[in-house]
Amino acid sequence: MSAEHPAPVVRQLRLVVEAADHEAAVAFFRDALGLPEQAAFTGDGDARVVILDAGRATLEIANPAQKRMIDEVEVGRQVAPRIRVAFEVDDARETTARLVAAGAHEIAPPTRTPWQSLNSRLDAPADLQITIFEELRTPEDQAG
């Protein structure tokens, strides 16, 4: 890297979520969604954490107009809180059905977006609103 562009110092993004029903949240995200367990720790006073591997992480920073537009495309109305977590999967329809069967509430079914992905919106354990998305274009299509 050049002096103008030093090497990145961030090595990992971790999203830390408080879940009142810890077991249900772990079962949903680990077992139903399929995020592999990377580590688990316990501490005094029944303190517990499970770290799940969610693959490559990105941080999307959207202004209010963009957030509203995404809600309109995916759901048809404004529903998202300030923070929403999105998971890329190979099959959005199958994953959405599996997560609904595991206890998520479907806000909107898989919908084709203008940016060529298939996105569903769910209320998930730990009071998280999540998007399940499947890229419909190949990496070659996206590069061109």
Side-chain angles (χ1 to χ4, degrees):
M1 291 279 171
S2 70
E4 295 134 23
H5 301 287
V9 295
V10 175
R11 305 224 184 277
Q12 183 179 161
L13 169 68
R14 282 201 183 170
L15 178 64
V16 181
V17 177
E18 177 184 355
D21 190 340
H22 185 259
E23 292 81 15
V26 169
F28 181 84
F29 290 102
R30 183 191 60 205
D31 304 335
L33 184 56
L35 301 179
E37 186 172 318
Q38 199 171 57
F41 304 97
T42 59
D44 295 338
D46 195 35
R48 291 173 283 152
V49 65
V50 174
I51 300 169
L52 303 174
D53 184 353
R56 184 177 67 93
T58 61
L59 178 61
E60 283 186 36
I61 300 178
N63 70 2
Q66 177 71 15
K67 180 195 159 296
R68 287 189 301 273
M69 186 272 294
I70 291 170
D71 272 359
E72 286 298 326
V73 167
E74 290 184 4
V75 182
R77 66 187 189 286
Q78 300 303 296
V79 297
R82 267 188 69 243
I83 295 176
R84 175 178 50 84
V85 181
F87 297 96
E88 182 181 0
V89 299
D90 290 333
D91 186 332
R93 285 186 174 87
E94 185 277 327
T95 301
T96 298
R98 187 174 70 246
L99 296 179
V100 168
H105 170 74
E106 185 177 86
I107 299 170
T111 302
R112 188 181 197 108
T113 69
W115 47 91
Q116 299 307 308
S117 62
L118 190 62
N119 297 20
S120 66
R121 190 74 68 88
L122 304 169
D123 275 328
D127 295 321
L128 286 178
Q129 190 172 107
I130 65 174
T131 293
I132 299 300
F133 71 100
E134 171 187 347
E135 294 293 358
L136 299 175
R137 298 185 322 177
T138 66
E140 294 79 27
D141 293 338
Q142 293 171 4

